Amino acid sequence: MPKIISIVPDVEIIFSLPRRKIIENKSIIHLLAQYIGTTVKFDDINRAQLFSLEEEMQDLVIVINHSNFTFLTDQEFEDNSSES
């Protein structure tokens, strides 16, 4: 189950997934995306899953908003957050 980091209703949702955790129920990501009024493609979820399985990281961080579905390592997320 994803751990929700941040929800801004109608704008963005950010959550993390433990390293190498398989997203068995991809519909949870669809439901989270629908909560903010957007959709997510299964191909995007599969790419994030492959990235999580291949990279050395603690958590996979996924950012969903109306214009992007972004996934990155926890370290990249922390670096980007500290730059803002």
Side-chain angles (χ1 to χ4, degrees):
M1 178 73 174
K3 175 183 171 188
I4 296 173
I5 296 174
S6 170
I7 296 177
V8 180
D10 300 321
V11 178
E12 179 178 77
I13 188 162
I14 302 171
F15 64 92
S16 67
L17 188 70
R19 179 176 169 218
R20 297 189 180 272
K21 176 72 176 159
I22 301 295
I23 305 170
E24 293 177 14
N25 188 352
K26 293 177 177 64
S27 63
I28 190 75
I29 294 175
H30 282 279
L31 291 172
L32 291 169
Q34 286 178 347
Y35 177 76
I36 64 163
T38 192
T39 58
V40 174
K41 299 175 189 169
F42 278 114
D43 287 345
D44 291 336
I45 298 169
N46 290 335
R47 281 193 355 241
Q49 177 101 27
L50 290 173
F51 178 76
S52 175
L53 294 173
E54 294 171 359
E55 293 294 319
E56 297 284 329
M57 68 181 102
Q58 291 299 317
D59 294 321
L60 170 70
V61 177
I62 297 177
V63 180
I64 301 171
N65 59 39
H66 290 275
S67 58
N68 288 318
F69 176 91
T70 307
F71 53 90
L72 31 115
T73 67
D74 53 339
Q75 187 62 48
E76 290 171 323
F77 178 73
E78 289 176 20
D79 291 346
N80 289 343
S81 296
S82 65
E83 290 174 3
S84 300

